[in-house]
Amino acid sequence: MTRPSGRWLAVAVMPVLAGLSAAVAWHLFEDPSTIRDRLASAQTGFFIWRMACIALIVGLWPWWVALFARRATPELRRKLVSYRWRLLAWLVILEMVLAQNIAGLFIEALFA
């Protein structure tokens, strides 16, 4: 088995660094209330983007399994393809809890 190269770490870290750099630059050029208003107005677009990404992940899951699990046995491939619906369930749960703040709204209603 070959050891993963450092390129994978760079590929994973670069988008994070780019996003942080963009956020810092945005904060330097605009005041926080403007940023908050712009993010609030873009909330629907962000939701559509997240749903499209989830649909893309779930829709292309069998292709990705075939691409990345070439050396796997057919039985393992079938098992990996069957995980698609579990993945969808977890992504939807994460969307509801984190992005839609369902847990926060529930706790707020509980103590109100």
Side-chain angles (χ1 to χ4, degrees), residues 61 65 77-87:
W61 186 258
V65 167
R77 283 189 199 163
R78 280 192 298 277
K79 191 173 185 178
L80 288 172
V81 169
S82 72
Y83 287 151
R84 170 176 31 176
W85 304 115
R86 288 183 190 176
L87 175 71

Side-chain angles (χ1 to χ4, degrees), residues 34-57:
T34 305
I35 294 172
R36 189 173 22 258
D37 293 341
R38 288 183 191 223
L39 288 175
S41 67
Q43 190 172 13
T44 304
F46 288 147
F47 176 74
I48 292 169
W49 171 253
R50 287 190 308 266
M51 290 300 111
C53 287
I54 289 173
L56 190 66
I57 289 169

Side-chain angles (χ1 to χ4, degrees), residues 56-97:
L56 190 66
I57 289 169
V58 172
L60 293 177
W61 186 258
W63 179 77
W64 283 338
V65 167
L67 179 68
F68 292 115
R70 280 180 257 167
R71 296 184 199 154
T73 63
E75 180 181 332
L76 180 61
R77 283 189 199 163
R78 280 192 298 277
K79 191 173 185 178
L80 288 172
V81 169
S82 72
Y83 287 151
R84 170 176 31 176
W85 304 115
R86 288 183 190 176
L87 175 71
L88 174 66
W90 277 110
L91 289 174
V92 168
I93 288 169
L94 285 172
E95 168 66 25
M96 289 183 344
V97 171

